Amino acid sequence: QVQVVESGGGLVQPGGSLRLSCSASGSIRSITRMGWYRQAPGKQRESVAAIPSGGTTNYADSVKGRFTISRDNVKNTVYLQMNSLKPEDTAVYYCNAAVISSGTYSPYLYWGQGTQVTVSS
């Protein structure tokens, strides 16, 4: 079994910064892609940023230049550094990880439980 746990959310003023972390643990052989999504009240979940095991990162247009995704493959952890936060960034942020578990050869997508980010003065 694999667990994915996010942390680092909270309340921040407009223009402030937060750093989210997401760690995967359990029966992990390797992780291909890791990503961050968010869902604001009354809206659909949207992709924020993603980082493959190799290759380039990608970002939603709304966060380009403000958010940075990175990962530590040894710790099976992905980070989202969020700068110049705006009220419209307020949402529950979810992490996912495409995990190839021990004894398998195809990735399975696991999701975390989400962490609340609120940007307000």
Side-chain angles (χ1 to χ4, degrees), residues 9-102:
L11 173 65
V12 63
Q13 292 187 341
S17 298
L18 278 177
R19 188 192 195 208
L20 305 182
S21 299
C22 169
S23 293
S25 62
S27 182
I28 297 172
R29 182 177 176 185
S30 65
I31 300 177
T32 56
R33 181 184 178 278
M34 301 187 82
W36 288 96
Y37 288 71
R38 67 185 180 186
Q39 187 167 18
K43 295 187 177 181
Q44 289 189 331
R45 189 174 297 189
E46 62 175 357
S47 176
V48 175
I51 183 167
S53 57
T56 57
T57 56
N58 58 77
Y59 297 92
D61 288 343
S62 58
V63 306
K64 281 181 181 176
R66 300 188 298 122
F67 291 11
T68 302
I69 189 170
S70 61
R71 64 188 281 179
D72 183 328
N73 291 326
V74 174
K75 296 181 179 179
N76 291 329
T77 299
V78 63
Y79 306 96
L80 187 67
Q81 178 66 43
M82 305 185 294
N83 299 328
S84 303
L85 282 161
K86 304 175 181 180
E88 51 263 43
D89 294 317
T90 295
V92 178
Y93 283 70
Y94 297 90
C95 166
N96 69 16
V99 176
I100 300 176
S101 297
S102 302

